[in-house]
Amino acid sequence: MKKLINDPDNVVREELEGVALAHSDLVKVVLEPFYVVRADAPVEGKVGIVSGGGSGHEPMHGGFVGMGMLDAACPGEVFTSPTPDQMFEATKAVNGGKGVLHIVKNYTGDVMNFEMAAELADGEGIEVEAVVIDDDVAVEDSLYTAGRRGVGATVLAEKICGAAAERGDDLAKVAEICRKVNDNAASMGMALTSCTVPSAGEPTFELGENEMEIGIGIHGEPGRKRMELKPADEITEMLLDPILEDLELSEGDEVLAFVNSMGGTPDIELYIIYRRLAQLLEEKGISITRNLIGAYITSLEMQGASITLLKLDDELTELWDAPVHTIAMRKGI
Amino acid sequence: MKKLINDPDNVVREELEGVALAHSDLVKVVLEPFYVVRADAPVEGKVGIVSGGGSGHEPMHGGFVGMGMLDAACPGEVFTSPTPDQMFEATKAVNGGKGVLHIVKNYTGDVMNFEMAAELADGEGIEVEAVVIDDDVAVEDSLYTAGRRGVGATVLAEKICGAAAERGDDLAKVAEICRKVNDNAASMGMALTSCTVPSAGEPTFELGENEMEIGIGIHGEPGRKRMELKPADEITEMLLDPILEDLELSEGDEVLAFVNSMGGTPDIELYIIYRRLAQLLEEKGISITRNLIGAYITSLEMQGASITLLKLDDELTELWDAPVHTIAMRKGI
């Protein structure tokens, strides 16, 4: 295993210590139990937003804590759900009196633990709503999931809900917007290579020299199909088709197009995919009015990419454009 | 070769078409010959700044074109110098009447071609100054270089000179600031894996299962030493020591610390390196007052990292903090 780490058991702790040293202007890092919280939390009179999940998907979620996005993020060990205790402590830390939204990717452990944290918070009189993100159209159930997995739409939901909370929306409204993002977004990913979880020490799966996997999950969970490597233009079409089918987009629709690196994919390749995606959507009369291109929800060093489309309306567009100031996303500040 | 591309010969062209489709609000992409230029170029009364070099180091340089940074970038084919013609056309396109600065990484082809472009520009009455960046302390001469290579300091010089030009400094002053950045910065990198140039189709070099290379160049040029993989804390020290020796920093100095991914290294690992870097500098009484952590000057999908330190004074700090609005760097806008 080739990684720039010390002890595989201390990877997340040492990463968080690094984040604390680098970004104390933006966030406070708590190590017992692990969570990352806005430096100015709790923000009085604002709905708090907490997300979290296994580590290894950076910059998600810790890189999205700050003004206009998350109030706190709970990182588990790599590809391992955080504990209810982490989520409960983070929820208390961001409670500004208007309740707290939990944005939860649909993995069994995350969903269960966020439910327990919400019960604990309820016991202390903190109102919590949870929205489960399940935008991955690749497979219906999966290794760690009942129902569809939560992937790229999580990034978009965190940005958009963060803006809604910032403008003063109440908890019911922020949760409604979160559900709207989830309902109007769909994603699909693929991998050229596996990643290696530090504590495992070897690749999660093996792909042949000339093989790829379409519909892969962000933990290397099996996708739809292993097949021979194809040109980028064909791969783009293979990822886009199931998304279009799911969203039932029609001519004249406006979308946010998000091309995401799984971690180890160079920018050059992301733009080659974006190019074909833009051409294909234009042929169908669908306008990309906003885009996001880069490594935002990753699987450690995995090579591969995912596409997420979010159908936009005026409200979602305005919230997407609102200022944000986090480690990994910054606009208007 | 596993890459998300179509034809290896069209990689840069298709990437640039993707950039044009995605970012027409920020940049204009010219395809004959290749260059990326600010959408509002030329900016009248402002010094223009042009950089460029082989592709494969994205987001450098095209990702840094925009308000507060570069006016234009000339991408060559992957790891291949752009032509004098590209540089000349870009220079003309950004000439706002106050002259043009060329920021040139020290590689023989880049230096030679930028010199020819400056002569061509001179023939048309455009004043050009060139500053050659050579911050890599790993080796004195290298595969493609007489003298030290230009690496991470290029990113910092482009940001800082961009701010100086934006506030109205004249060409001599912007060039002086560029030389000051270069004189006060030093870098060193390392690799865990090679990258694969698309047109070559196979890895540039081979590293054993448990081997790393210290002092590697951004094209996979040989570094100082191949050795057994060490823990991240030791690697950080091996990268930092030659930098400190070169910069002759002393207690009380302030620095910008830049931890850069070679392309395929996850954020987690960059923060583990940053953590140790911050500890080591603190022990020496050197303050990190600004930092930059992420993939800014890459070698395609290479796994590895580099450290750059820039000794700061009030002027450099103020210029670093100034607003910037590019694809890959954004602040205050």
Side-chain angles (χ1 to χ4, degrees):
Chain A
M1 172 174 59
K2 281 188 155 179
K3 289 186 181 291
L4 294 168
I5 62 174
N6 296 300
D7 179 344
D9 291 336
N10 288 337
V11 160
V12 176
R13 173 175 295 271
E14 290 182 359
E15 176 218 1
L16 291 174
E17 288 174 1
V19 170
L21 287 162
H23 304 297
S24 60
D25 54 328
L26 281 175
V27 298
K28 197 171 70 177
V29 176
V30 176
L31 293 172
E32 298 291 344
F34 291 160
Y35 64 93
V36 179
V37 61
R38 272 175 77 149
D40 60 351
V43 182
E44 288 305 321
K46 187 186 85 68
V47 170
I49 305 181
V50 175
S51 190
S55 291
H57 308 299
E58 290 67 28
M60 189 182 79
H61 302 272
F64 302 145
V65 173
M67 196 289 295
M69 212 161 165
L70 296 178
D71 291 85
C74 308
E77 291 299 326
V78 173
F79 294 178
T80 302
S81 291
T83 62
D85 189 39
Q86 287 174 260
M87 299 160 178
F88 175 46
E89 292 299 328
T91 301
K92 285 192 290 186
V94 308
N95 175 35
K98 281 188 73 174
V100 177
L101 175 69
H102 288 174
I103 300 181
V104 186
K105 299 194 301 303
N106 189 31
Y107 299 97
T108 309
D110 290 6
V111 172
M112 197 173 67
N113 291 355
F114 266 111
E115 276 172 8
M116 287 175 64
E119 279 170 32
L120 292 168
D122 184 62
E124 302 230 345
I126 303 171
E127 194 188 357
V128 171
E129 274 224 49
V131 175
V132 175
I133 305 291
D134 62 349
D135 57 311
D136 188 342
V137 298
V139 293
E140 198 37 57
D141 296 301
S142 181
L143 204 52
Y144 311 113
T145 323
R148 308 193 326 186
R149 300 174 298 216
V151 289
T154 317
V155 178
L156 310 182
E158 292 177 1
K159 166 66 185 81
I160 287 169
C161 293
E166 214 69 55
R167 75 176 176 190
D169 287 2
D170 65 19
L171 181 57
K173 176 67 179 165
V174 180
E176 181 197 315
I177 289 171
C178 196
R179 282 186 290 269
K180 180 165 144 186
V181 170
N182 189 50
D183 291 345
N184 285 285
S187 300
M188 183 126 144
M190 60 80 59
L192 296 172
T193 63
S194 177
C195 57
T196 297
V197 176
S199 63
E202 50 188 46
T204 307
F205 58 95
E206 294 291 344
L207 276 175
E209 191 49 51
N210 196 29
E211 247 185 347
M212 62 175 180
E213 182 148 339
I214 295 282
I216 195 92
I218 54 170
H219 312 92
E221 309 94 295
R224 282 193 175 189
K225 190 142 107 172
R226 287 197 178 187
M227 52 167 59
E228 200 189 332
L229 183 60
K230 304 276 189 220
D233 282 1
E234 274 184 58
I235 293 170
T236 305
E237 207 161 344
M238 275 188 261
L239 297 179
L240 178 61
D241 283 346
I243 293 172
L244 288 176
E245 203 175 302
D246 184 78
L247 288 182
E248 298 177 358
L249 295 173
S250 44
E251 209 176 320
D253 281 343
E254 299 192 340
V255 296
L256 185 160
F258 172 24
V259 176
N260 174 60
S261 160
M262 292 293 197
T265 294
D267 285 2
I268 283 187
E269 301 178 29
L270 300 181
Y271 280 98
I272 289 175
I273 289 182
Y274 184 86
R275 167 187 170 273
R276 186 62 189 147
L277 177 63
Q279 291 169 345
L280 289 166
L281 290 175
E282 198 193 355
E283 283 168 17
K284 292 177 201 304
I286 297 162
S287 303
I288 303 178
T289 53
R290 296 292 183 278
N291 63 59
L292 182 67
I293 303 164
Y296 291 94
I297 166 172
T298 63
S299 302
L300 295 167
E301 70 283 359
M302 185 186 281
Q303 285 179 260
S306 64
I307 293 174
T308 299
L309 293 187
L310 168 63
K311 187 178 165 184
L312 290 172
D313 59 15
D314 289 347
E315 180 181 50
L316 294 181
T317 303
E318 184 189 319
L319 292 168
W320 177 257
D321 289 343
V324 59
H325 190 183
T326 69
I327 297 168
M329 211 179 276
R330 187 161 172 165
K331 183 151 65 177
I333 297 285
Chain B
M1 172 175 58
K2 282 189 155 179
K3 290 186 182 290
L4 295 167
I5 62 175
N6 296 299
D7 179 346
D9 291 335
N10 287 337
V11 161
V12 176
R13 172 175 296 272
E14 290 181 0
E15 175 218 1
L16 291 174
E17 288 173 2
V19 170
L21 286 162
H23 304 297
S24 59
D25 54 327
L26 281 174
V27 298
K28 198 171 70 178
V29 175
V30 177
L31 293 172
E32 297 292 343
F34 291 160
Y35 64 92
V36 179
V37 61
R38 272 175 75 149
D40 59 351
V43 183
E44 287 305 322
K46 188 185 86 67
V47 170
I49 305 181
V50 175
S51 191
S55 291
H57 308 300
E58 288 69 28
M60 191 183 77
H61 301 271
F64 302 144
V65 173
M67 197 291 293
M69 213 160 165
L70 297 178
D71 291 86
C74 309
E77 292 298 327
V78 174
F79 294 178
T80 302
S81 291
T83 63
D85 188 38
Q86 287 175 260
M87 298 160 179
F88 176 46
E89 292 299 327
T91 301
K92 285 191 290 185
V94 308
N95 176 34
K98 283 190 72 175
V100 176
L101 176 69
H102 289 173
I103 300 181
V104 186
K105 299 196 299 304
N106 190 32
Y107 298 97
T108 309
D110 290 6
V111 172
M112 198 173 67
N113 291 356
F114 266 111
E115 277 172 8
M116 288 175 65
E119 279 170 32
L120 293 167
D122 185 61
E124 302 230 345
I126 303 171
E127 194 188 356
V128 172
E129 274 223 49
V131 175
V132 175
I133 306 290
D134 62 349
D135 57 311
D136 187 342
V137 298
V139 293
E140 198 38 56
D141 296 302
S142 181
L143 205 51
Y144 310 111
T145 323
R148 307 192 325 187
R149 301 173 297 216
V151 289
T154 316
V155 178
L156 310 182
E158 292 177 0
K159 165 67 186 82
I160 287 170
C161 293
E166 213 69 56
R167 75 176 175 190
D169 288 2
D170 64 18
L171 180 57
K173 176 67 177 167
V174 179
E176 181 196 315
I177 289 169
C178 197
R179 281 187 291 269
K180 179 166 145 186
V181 170
N182 189 50
D183 291 346
N184 285 285
S187 299
M188 183 127 146
M190 60 79 59
L192 296 172
T193 63
S194 177
C195 57
T196 297
V197 176
S199 62
E202 51 188 46
T204 307
F205 58 94
E206 292 291 345
L207 276 175
E209 191 49 51
N210 196 29
E211 248 186 347
M212 63 174 179
E213 181 149 339
I214 295 283
I216 195 93
I218 55 172
H219 311 92
E221 310 96 296
R224 284 195 174 187
K225 189 143 107 176
R226 286 194 179 191
M227 52 167 61
E228 200 189 331
L229 183 60
K230 305 277 189 218
D233 283 0
E234 274 184 60
I235 293 169
T236 305
E237 208 160 342
M238 275 188 262
L239 297 179
L240 178 60
D241 284 346
I243 293 172
L244 288 176
E245 203 174 302
D246 185 76
L247 288 181
E248 298 178 356
L249 295 172
S250 44
E251 210 176 318
D253 281 343
E254 298 192 341
V255 296
L256 185 161
F258 171 25
V259 175
N260 174 62
S261 161
M262 291 294 196
T265 294
D267 285 2
I268 283 188
E269 300 179 28
L270 300 181
Y271 279 99
I272 290 175
I273 289 182
Y274 184 86
R275 165 186 173 275
R276 185 62 187 147
L277 177 63
Q279 290 171 345
L280 290 167
L281 289 175
E282 198 193 353
E283 284 169 17
K284 292 178 201 304
I286 297 162
S287 303
I288 303 178
T289 54
R290 297 293 183 275
N291 63 59
L292 182 68
I293 302 163
Y296 291 93
I297 165 170
T298 63
S299 302
L300 297 166
E301 69 282 1
M302 185 187 282
Q303 286 180 259
S306 64
I307 293 174
T308 299
L309 294 187
L310 168 64
K311 188 179 165 183
L312 290 171
D313 59 15
D314 289 348
E315 180 182 50
L316 295 181
T317 303
E318 186 189 319
L319 292 167
W320 177 257
D321 288 344
V324 60
H325 191 184
T326 68
I327 297 167
M329 212 180 275
R330 187 161 174 166
K331 183 150 69 177
I333 298 284

